[in-house]
Each structure stands twice: as structure tokens, then as C-alpha cells.
Amino acid sequence: DRGVLELDVYKPRKVTIDRNGNQQKPGIILHIHGGGWKTGHRRVLAMNYHGGVPHSILEENMIVSVSYRLSCNGVDGNEMLTDLYDATKFVIEHADEWNADGNKIIPWGTSAGGNLALLLAYRFQEEFTQIKGVINFYGVTELREQEIINMSSKNLWETLTYRIFLSETRHVCDEADDKESCFEDMSPVTHVTRNSPPTLTVHGEHDGLVFVSHADVLSEALTRENVTHANLVVPGHHDCDVFASSPCSQAAIHAIKRLIALVFS
């Protein structure tokens, strides 16, 4: 009743054979595009926007890049998450048709997509046991107003930039009846539990759009709950992985390979 949303399936370049000579089904990386919850498109991967990261993933694993409705469509963040919930169910149900392993899924999101990937993995961890880990590239982890203000230092300039961030993110809950509850729902740090899946965060240390403190507060929450995680702060700004040769991309490729080896083994 909400209409049709499309997805793209990128199959791995290599076929993996186990020690018994049987073909292994690839795991699935569920890509969630960014764009501030109001723009962006799943086919950003087809333009190789994220440098060498997709190319590396596709050596042995599948990528499914999904769509979700945006705030410009008159929906709030929770409704976007509903779309991603439906997409995940669809991927699990159709994995066999793609000759993939529907029991091995890692959501990977960038910026606003990183926020949604974390929420998908954390809020539905009991239902989607197929989600074995989550990859967050420079995603928003906190949307509650007072907590965001507390994240800034006493420096006047930093306080001002955080308030600009506040004003630029309020639209994600514009359509919600209870906005305060919506911002809490949309803050991944509020959903971390000891059962949260292993989490990889990659964030540019000089990110002026989503400040690196978002990575830090998530790491602190994961540490408190003893969740396996890595907080990879790298040289660069927002979208630091655009170029394959960047330190951000190279570090991310290595870290993603380690996460996949850990959770898909």
C-alpha cells in the first residue's frame, strides 16, 4: 500500500570454493545511500562514488543497494526505517534466487544512510538474526537536541556549528506527531545493547558536516555494553572515501575485510 521501491543486486566477481570443492554462497552487504534523508539514490554505487570500497567488497561478496522514501516524500525517519525493514525481509526471502546466503547480512550506510544502517541493525537485532554486523560511514548517531548541544565544547565557533547541524537535521522528524520521541528513535546511541552486532565506524577527523564526535559517542555507548566494535577515525572530511587512493578508502577497505572475515566465517 506504500508503493514499490526498487533495489539493485551486484553479484561478486569471484566464485569461492570451500575445502570440499563446493561453491560457497556469498554474504550480502546491504547498501543504504546517504543524502541527508532528503536526497540521494541507490545507484550511487554504479557511479563508483565510494572509491574502491564497493569494488573490494565485490571480490567475494554480494552488494544489494536499496531504496527508501525520503523526507521530501512527506515521511519521517521511522517510515524510512520501515522501508528498509521491508527491503531486508525481501532480500532474505530472495537470497536463494540470487545464489547468495540470506543468513549473512551486513548493512552498510553512508552519512544519513549510516544512521539508518545502525538503526536497522540495532532496533531489529532480535528479529533479523541474519544481520551479523553493521558498517557505518560518517553517520549521524545522535539527534536529540540537548545531547547534541552537550557534544559541543565551550568554544563559541563549535557551539555555533553544532546549532547549524541541529537546524539542518530537524526535517527528518517533520512529519512525526511526537518529534521528541522521533529524534530519540532516530538516535542509534539510544538503541545500543549488549546484543548489538559488531560495528565498524569510519569517520573523517575533519568532517564539518557530521562531526567526528558522533563516532565517539557511539563508540562510548558500544564500549559500555561490551559490544565488539572499531571506531576508525581517519584523515579527511565528509565523504572521505570518494577517491580509491585516499587514506580513508584504503583504511576502510582493510577494516571491512576484517569485519567480513570475523562475522561471516
Side-chain angles (χ1 to χ4, degrees):
D1 60 341
R2 294 188 299 274
V4 177
L5 291 169
E6 297 181 335
L7 53 77
D8 296 325
V9 177
Y10 298 84
K11 294 187 176 181
R13 299 193 308 277
K14 295 180 181 178
V15 174
T16 303
I17 305 297
D18 65 21
R19 65 184 63 185
N20 297 318
N22 299 316
Q23 181 177 334
Q24 286 187 316
K25 291 185 176 182
I28 299 171
I29 308 300
L30 191 75
H31 174 254
I32 304 172
H33 70 79
W37 305 281
K38 58 185 176 182
T39 186
H41 198 278
R42 72 184 187 280
R43 288 192 174 160
V44 68
L45 284 188
M47 298 184 294
N48 202 29
Y49 182 76
H50 294 291
V53 175
H55 188 269
S56 174
I57 291 172
L58 287 170
E59 285 182 10
E60 296 181 349
N61 293 280
M62 177 176 289
I63 298 178
V64 179
S65 190
V66 298
S67 303
Y68 57 94
R69 290 171 296 167
L70 306 170
S71 62
C72 58
N73 302 129
V75 299
D76 64 37
N78 281 310
E79 292 172 294
M80 298 176 202
L81 196 60
T82 297
D83 291 344
L84 295 172
Y85 175 93
D86 291 343
T88 304
K89 287 186 67 177
F90 184 91
V91 167
I92 293 170
E93 291 167 0
H94 291 268
D96 280 343
E97 297 174 24
W98 306 329
N99 199 31
D101 190 341
N103 289 310
K104 294 180 179 180
I105 296 176
I106 299 177
W108 164 42
T110 59
S111 196
N115 166 267
L116 293 167
L118 291 168
L119 291 170
L120 179 66
Y122 294 168
R123 287 174 58 175
F124 302 112
Q125 59 193 19
E126 293 185 3
E127 182 163 355
F128 289 141
T129 57
Q130 298 89 345
I131 293 180
K132 305 303 184 184
V134 58
I135 303 169
N136 161 43
F137 275 23
Y138 38 85
V140 174
T141 65
E142 179 62 85
L143 277 165
R144 294 171 295 174
E145 181 172 354
Q146 189 56 55
E147 279 70 15
I148 290 173
I149 293 172
N150 292 343
M151 285 162 63
S152 66
S153 70
K154 303 302 181 182
N155 179 287
L156 178 61
W157 172 251
E158 186 172 321
T159 300
L160 175 62
T161 54
Y162 271 79
R163 289 194 175 276
I164 293 173
F165 170 84
L166 271 173
S167 67
E168 292 297 316
T169 56
R170 299 302 88 184
H171 68 275
V172 73
C173 289
D174 272 352
E175 301 298 324
D177 294 328
D178 186 339
K179 290 180 172 51
E180 286 192 15
S181 294
C182 176
F183 289 128
E184 183 168 355
D185 288 343
M186 294 299 295
S187 298
V189 293
T190 67
H191 301 288
V192 173
T193 72
R194 61 183 178 86
N195 296 319
S196 296
T199 301
L200 169 62
T201 292
V202 178
H203 212 117
E205 62 179 331
H206 301 300
D207 193 328
L209 186 60
V210 179
F211 308 107
V212 71
S213 51
H214 282 268
D216 294 337
V217 295
L218 177 62
S219 180
E220 291 168 5
L222 292 165
T223 298
R224 285 194 298 270
E225 296 294 337
N226 294 315
V227 176
T228 300
H229 70 283
N231 184 27
L232 191 60
V233 178
V234 295
H237 299 269
H238 203 69
D239 291 333
C240 62
D241 59 313
V242 169
F243 299 107
S245 60
S246 69
C248 176
S249 288
Q250 293 301 307
I253 288 169
H254 178 68
I256 289 171
K257 286 181 177 179
R258 293 189 64 179
L259 176 66
I260 289 173
L262 173 68
V263 303
F264 280 178
S265 60

